[in-house]
Amino acid sequence: MVSGSIRDHVAYAPLPPENVIVLPVYYQPDLRRWRRRQNLSRCLCTAAAIVSLLAVLVFIFYPSDPYLQLARIHLNHIRVNSSPQPTLDLSFSLVVKVHNKDFFSLNYDSLDVSIGYRGRELGSVRSHGGRVRARGSSYVNASLELNGLEVIHDVIYLIEDLIKGVIPFDTVTMVKGELGVLFFEIPLTAKVSCEVYVNTSNQTIVRQDCYPE
């Protein structure tokens, strides 16, 4: 009885309150993986920069055809022959501008110019070759003599144009050459068609409309 009563009267003091702090789980970073990612990012940025630089260099240095322009056309003389049949004698002096847009020199073998009137070719002339420096221009002189041209179908239009003082001519200019790039020679060809209006009084070009081909 004594032991039982002692058990019944045992009192336990309550525990003092405690603050519990929960810390997050900390993982130690993998330095090798982090370094691999950094190296991969640097490689991708470097590759993108190199590709962009190559694209710019190709855009700048890619060979392009030379630019042709009929800088001057001088009608030296024109004469209409009525006997034994209507014919025409013409004499032209031409100046063609060849502009090299590339960063390498251009060597052209020949320059051909043909002249027509109202869709009918009158004649053509070929000049000798030459050289145009990089990003430079060259002027080529050529002369064309046309005698005894039959203008039966166009004589009425020609008389009208002579009265107006302006004659429209069709010109086709073509140049063939090679572009020297380091140890290579890249063939280039340029062709341009123009409709040229020549003032018969002062022998100047009133207007010209050109279309590269």
Side-chain angles (χ1 to χ4, degrees), residues 69-111:
Q69 180 184 13
L70 186 61
R72 182 172 176 269
I73 178 171
H74 183 79
L75 185 60
N76 297 327
H77 75 266
I78 179 172
R79 183 174 63 185
V80 180
N81 304 314
S82 58
S83 178
Q85 59 181 359
T87 58
L88 183 66
D89 296 340
L90 292 174
S91 175
F92 293 95
S93 294
L94 309 172
V95 178
V96 180
K97 178 183 178 181
V98 182
H99 177 64
N100 182 15
K101 299 179 290 184
D102 296 311
F103 290 88
F104 306 94
S105 61
L106 170 67
N107 297 318
Y108 61 93
D109 303 325
S110 62
L111 189 143

Side-chain angles (χ1 to χ4, degrees), residues 74-200:
H74 183 79
L75 185 60
N76 297 327
H77 75 266
I78 179 172
R79 183 174 63 185
V80 180
N81 304 314
S82 58
S83 178
Q85 59 181 359
T87 58
L88 183 66
D89 296 340
L90 292 174
S91 175
F92 293 95
S93 294
L94 309 172
V95 178
V96 180
K97 178 183 178 181
V98 182
H99 177 64
N100 182 15
K101 299 179 290 184
D102 296 311
F103 290 88
F104 306 94
S105 61
L106 170 67
N107 297 318
Y108 61 93
D109 303 325
S110 62
L111 189 143
D112 299 328
V113 182
S114 62
I115 297 181
Y117 177 72
R118 295 189 177 274
R120 180 171 175 264
E121 183 178 346
L122 300 178
S124 61
V125 60
R126 169 172 291 187
S127 67
H128 298 290
R131 176 185 176 90
V132 184
R133 68 180 187 277
R135 307 291 292 179
S137 300
S138 177
Y139 292 87
V140 183
N141 299 316
S143 298
L144 180 60
E145 298 285 340
L146 304 173
N147 298 318
L149 294 174
E150 296 183 1
V151 292
I152 299 177
H153 302 288
D154 302 323
V155 64
I156 297 178
Y157 299 107
L158 181 60
I159 294 175
E160 291 179 354
D161 293 334
L162 289 174
I163 295 175
K164 295 177 182 177
V166 177
I167 301 179
F169 290 104
D170 304 320
T171 65
V172 179
T173 307
M174 184 171 62
V175 62
K176 293 182 179 180
E178 296 84 24
L179 189 69
V181 180
L182 299 178
F183 301 102
F184 304 96
E185 291 186 351
I186 302 176
L188 294 177
T189 301
K191 184 177 180 181
V192 60
S193 300
C194 298
E195 189 174 1
V196 184
Y197 295 85
V198 180
N199 189 315
T200 57

